[in-house]
Amino acid sequence: MSDEQKFLDILETRNAQRGAEPTWIAARRQAGAARFEAIGFPNRRIEAFKYTDVRAIARGEFSLAEDAEFSRSSAAALTLPIEAIRLTFVDGLFSRALSDLSKLPQGASLEPLSQALADNHEAVGSALGRLCSVDFSAFSALNMAFFEEGAVLRLAPGTVVETPIILQFLSRASDQPVMSHPRVLVEAGARSQVTLIEHQVGEEGAANFTNLVSEIMLERGAMVTHYKLQEASLSDLHVSSLHLDQGRDSRFTSFNLNLGGALVRNDIVGELNAQGAESNFFGLFFAQGRQHVDNHTLANHNAPLTFSNENYKGILNDRAHGVFNGKVVVKRDSQKIEAHQSNANLLLSDRAEIDTKPELEIYADDVKCSHGATTGQLDAEAIYALRTRGIDEQTARGLLTLAFAGEVMEKVRVDAIAERVELAVAGKLPVRFDLAGLVETAAALDEPANKEG
């Protein structure tokens, strides 16, 4: 039996358990399954997966979760300690007990996908799959075939959600790994504002497979700040794609922060479709052991006077492998756009590896575009300079590593997220030092032996 057939057999069993569904859902499941069967799992002969081997997913023996039981104490240990509107999913299934919508303001609607489908499936159908079709990848096709749960967020025009919204995805450790294919839909009305946090986190030893697809639509003047904090166990497998449709004067800011997972693949696709649209993609990935983290981004400037800015940083230790592929496409009539892209990587081990590929594809002539990539190691002189201030070597290395991440971290506005990332990147630093001042000093001293990627 092929790897693909194994997944299709699980789907067939699940479909029989579900019974009759609305025609459009059944048709899309069928389209997803057919596409997945036709193209199969990607291999390394495909350019987009040249550096990423997904056989750990293809050959995995996964089932579908049957319940969302998770104790409050266990969840509390993993939950971000911030006041938030929260939807929680356990192995992909919605947990009402671990969710809290009490602070949801008027004008905002947030539901688990299963509830939104039960309430008004036709309204969901008009949005689901509009930005990410089954043709995007084998994983998007698989998601369309299996989707059951996720989140639907709708903001009426002018709605400002002051309290952050967290979509919390918990992964349990068990003898039987499970897979989930959640789907997130966000429709941000004109001039609405929201901070949306996607938190992927799991119990130690969890070895599950998550395949998430998110579609976010921003109408005129909408502002969405999206944090993805990925803290899955070092055995978890994680694939996600985020797709954007931006209207006039809208602004989308992404913080893609990857700390966990054995195999991680993130795709972000932005469509800047009207004048004044702005996309900001900030990323930081920290990997150690044999972790593999692959980030692919694409910003399509489909209209004049649009702006995109991207800054991704990678920190790799031990035998970790990182991949960055960032692409900006400027369409023929998209004059007076501005697009900047930067990827810098820090290797903490001689055996760590990075493959980076920034790309510009420009068909207009009146544009401002730049891109670049660097790779280096910690500067021995900077370490020595900090040690002369009485700082031990481990702390000095942690501070310099944190300083390297500073350009991204200084923009993070959620303290609990910043603390999680700083702890993972730099370790537990002594509080007796003026860390902010030391990091600033170290940043000034840190000049890695850069080379053009």
Side-chain angles (χ1 to χ4, degrees):
M1 180 187 298
S2 69
D3 294 330
E4 289 76 16
Q5 189 59 51
K6 182 175 59 184
F7 282 77
L8 292 170
D9 286 350
I10 297 172
L11 176 64
E12 185 176 348
T13 301
R14 192 65 154 194
N15 286 342
Q17 293 170 343
R18 286 195 196 97
E21 292 185 304
T23 303
W24 72 266
I25 296 179
R28 292 188 198 184
R29 287 198 198 286
Q30 187 175 18
R35 181 62 178 163
F36 173 69
E37 185 175 21
I39 61 177
F41 281 106
N43 58 54
R44 298 179 74 172
R45 292 190 298 275
I46 298 173
E47 181 64 24
F49 285 84
K50 182 177 180 180
Y51 301 109
T52 297
D53 184 347
V54 303
R55 283 180 293 180
I57 297 171
R59 296 178 179 176
E61 296 292 337
F62 304 107
S63 61
L64 294 167
E66 298 295 338
D67 63 70
E69 294 180 2
F70 205 81
S71 73
R72 286 183 180 275
S73 59
S74 297
L78 300 173
T79 296
L80 283 173
I82 60 175
E83 183 176 283
I85 301 158
R86 193 182 307 271
L87 279 188
T88 299
F89 303 89
V90 178
D91 290 342
L93 300 181
F94 175 60
S95 170
R96 189 174 301 281
L98 299 176
S99 300
D100 182 0
L101 301 179
S102 60
K103 292 184 172 56
L104 197 65
Q106 189 172 7
S109 165
L110 177 64
E111 298 176 282
L113 177 61
S114 56
Q115 185 63 53
L117 287 170
D119 291 345
N120 186 354
H121 69 85
E122 292 179 345
V124 175
S126 64
L128 192 143
R130 186 162 72 82
L131 305 185
C132 178
S133 75
V134 298
D135 295 324
F136 178 72
S137 74
F139 292 106
S140 69
L142 201 59
N143 179 286
M144 185 66 85
F146 273 99
F147 80 91
E148 292 181 341
E149 195 51 279
V152 179
L153 171 64
R154 295 189 178 96
L155 304 178
T159 300
V160 177
V161 184
E162 300 283 357
T163 305
I165 294 175
I166 294 182
L167 305 180
Q168 180 175 244
F169 296 89
L170 301 176
S171 178
R172 293 179 293 194
S174 70
D175 295 334
Q176 174 55 57
V178 297
M179 63 177 174
S180 60
H181 304 269
R183 196 108 191 175
V184 174
L185 295 176
V186 177
E187 295 177 284
R191 304 177 308 285
S192 62
Q193 297 180 32
V194 68
T195 294
L196 181 64
I197 300 170
E198 176 195 330
H199 188 202
Q200 301 278 348
V201 64
E203 292 182 299
E204 185 176 353
N208 303 315
F209 166 44
T210 301
N211 176 27
L212 172 70
V213 173
S214 300
E215 298 172 285
I216 301 180
M217 301 145 215
L218 296 86
E219 294 184 359
R220 183 171 185 162
M223 296 172 61
V224 175
T225 301
H226 181 268
Y227 288 89
K228 177 179 181 179
L229 177 61
Q230 200 276 105
E231 294 185 296
S233 112
L234 295 181
S235 302
D236 255 334
L237 308 167
H238 181 82
V239 176
S240 77
S241 65
L242 169 63
H243 304 260
L244 311 169
D245 176 5
Q246 291 194 236
R248 184 170 183 131
D249 298 327
S250 64
R251 185 169 71 196
F252 180 83
T253 301
S254 162
F255 291 90
N256 183 10
L257 307 168
N258 283 268
L259 305 176
L263 169 61
V264 178
R265 167 63 180 243
N266 295 306
D267 282 275
I268 299 178
V269 180
E271 304 287 348
L272 294 92
N273 291 323
Q275 290 187 17
E278 174 184 331
S279 289
N280 298 289
F281 297 161
F282 301 113
L284 177 66
F285 50 99
F286 174 66
Q288 53 192 329
R290 288 181 173 270
Q291 284 181 268
H292 180 98
V293 181
D294 181 351
N295 288 298
H296 273 56
T297 66
L298 170 61
N300 279 318
H301 288 261
N302 303 320
L305 293 168
T306 49
F307 176 83
S308 69
N309 179 48
E310 179 165 17
N311 190 351
Y312 264 65
K313 296 215 166 190
I315 302 170
L316 302 165
N317 200 1
D318 303 323
R319 302 185 68 173
H321 187 190
V323 181
F324 172 80
N325 184 288
K327 186 172 183 178
V328 173
V329 178
V330 183
K331 300 294 173 57
R332 187 172 303 281
D333 295 323
S334 300
Q335 305 292 351
K336 300 187 182 303
I337 71 96
E338 195 166 338
H340 302 287
Q341 183 187 88
S342 173
N343 170 232
N345 302 288
L346 180 63
L347 302 182
L348 302 177
S349 161
D350 292 339
R351 294 191 294 180
E353 185 179 352
I354 180 73
D355 291 290
T356 178
K357 186 181 178 184
E359 296 180 82
L360 286 175
E361 197 171 301
I362 302 172
Y363 299 98
D365 50 21
D366 185 8
V367 302
K368 292 181 181 178
C369 296
S370 66
H371 71 163
T374 64
T375 298
Q377 297 179 328
L378 288 178
D379 189 287
E381 292 186 7
I383 296 173
Y384 175 77
L386 288 178
R387 294 200 66 185
T388 61
R389 290 166 168 79
I391 301 172
D392 64 79
E393 181 166 346
Q394 182 178 354
T395 303
R397 296 177 73 87
L399 284 167
L400 285 170
T401 305
L402 194 58
F404 173 81
E407 283 183 0
V408 173
M409 293 308 301
E410 69 185 11
K411 293 181 170 58
V412 173
R413 295 290 179 264
V414 181
D415 290 344
I417 292 178
E419 289 169 6
R420 294 282 187 106
V421 176
E422 288 172 6
L423 180 62
V425 169
K428 189 172 178 57
L429 296 171
V431 295
R432 66 178 182 278
F433 296 124
D434 173 11
L435 295 181
L438 286 175
V439 168
E440 185 177 346
T441 301
L445 291 168
D446 182 29
E447 294 292 341
N450 294 339
K451 62 183 182 182
E452 290 301 320

